[in-house]
Amino acid sequence: MMMKFLPPRLRMPAQMLVVGTIGTVFGVIAWGSAALVTILPFTLIVAAWYYALGGRDSDLSAMVLGRGDERQEYRRLRMQALMGQVMSLAVGVTFIIAVATKTTSWPFAVLVPLPILSLVVGGLIYREHHDGQEQQVGR
Amino acid sequence: MRNRIREQRVQRELSQAELAIALGVSRQTVISIENGRYLPSLPLAFRIARFFDLTVDKMFDPDDEETGP
């Protein structure tokens, strides 16, 4: 989301507020005013947390603000990799539970192949040319 | 891998924050490299060495293999 006109510290909180407000509107349409007392306070707390984090001199705040150096970026990638692994595992376990309890399992037709598909796409996007090929002297 | 960053920084009477600004990294990263918890990339290793007017092999000692990224 483009929020370049805002100071860096306000960008993530503003994004959270926009997404949360949209979520609240959809929530109100779907479930009525109950969404106002669940989604909206949660959105405000998360936005405030992001803002507070932005004022700190820490790895986490640098990552949240998108100003991380190489170590912080490496750390963020490892965190995202862990999140991906946990999510993949969670999808697999939930699928097994859904099949065992004979509940709705059609969403898993999309979710189960997604981790493998994203792994293949990632391999294609980040592939290196001449991968595994021996280069001759002088080339 | 051992390095001489702390020694060189103290010799030049620089704080970790000042060194971090000079190298274009965070203070936390300088601390991590000094403590051997993080191995810098090759470009950053060269930046560090050049900043202290040393070569990379003088700045980093590969013989001590006790830490890694």
Side-chain angles (χ1 to χ4, degrees):
Chain A
M1 202 178 293
M2 298 302 290
M3 294 222 176
K4 299 276 184 196
F5 58 93
L6 286 174
R9 191 178 174 184
L10 289 175
R11 283 177 199 161
M12 279 304 285
Q15 283 182 23
M16 286 297 122
L17 286 176
V18 169
V19 171
T21 306
I22 294 167
T24 307
V25 170
F26 279 102
V28 168
I29 293 165
W31 305 302
S33 59
L36 282 174
V37 289
T38 53
I39 302 171
L40 200 58
F42 179 74
T43 302
L44 293 173
I45 289 166
V46 171
W49 179 74
Y50 269 111
Y51 182 76
L53 204 61
R56 290 179 59 196
D57 176 23
S58 68
D59 282 351
L60 197 57
S61 63
M63 287 187 279
V64 167
L65 290 174
R67 290 196 305 217
D69 60 24
E70 61 170 47
R71 185 185 60 86
Q72 289 158 338
E73 279 300 295
Y74 175 66
R75 208 181 140 194
R76 186 181 61 77
L77 287 173
R78 289 179 74 186
M79 286 162 66
Q80 283 183 337
L82 177 68
M83 188 175 75
Q85 286 173 338
V86 169
M87 292 303 289
S88 302
L89 189 68
V91 167
V93 169
T94 320
F95 175 60
I96 291 165
I97 293 168
V99 170
T101 56
K102 292 183 178 138
T103 51
T104 311
S105 59
W106 67 263
F108 294 100
V110 178
L111 292 174
V112 169
L114 208 55
I116 296 159
L117 193 69
S118 57
L119 198 71
V120 171
V121 171
L124 289 170
I125 291 171
Y126 302 115
R127 75 179 184 278
E128 290 176 12
H129 295 292
H130 310 295
D131 215 5
Q133 288 178 16
E134 191 179 350
Q135 288 194 344
Q136 290 174 354
V137 176
R139 281 183 68 191
Chain B
M1 185 178 284
R2 266 167 46 82
N3 66 67
R4 298 173 59 197
I5 296 173
R6 189 191 303 268
E7 172 199 320
Q8 291 293 319
R9 179 176 63 75
V10 171
Q11 253 182 36
R12 285 164 173 76
E13 295 179 347
L14 286 168
S15 68
Q16 289 170 327
E18 287 166 337
L19 179 61
I21 290 166
L23 295 173
V25 295
S26 65
R27 189 177 54 83
Q28 291 85 358
T29 294
V30 169
I31 294 166
S32 285
I33 298 171
E34 278 190 359
N35 292 334
R37 287 199 304 270
Y38 175 70
L39 285 178
S41 67
L42 202 51
L44 180 55
F46 270 101
R47 280 212 305 275
I48 294 167
R50 280 179 186 151
F51 180 79
F52 290 115
D53 289 321
L54 289 170
T55 55
V56 172
D57 64 323
K58 287 261 172 21
M59 203 73 216
F60 297 91
D61 179 10
D63 292 337
D64 188 347
E65 294 288 345
E66 63 185 36
T67 53

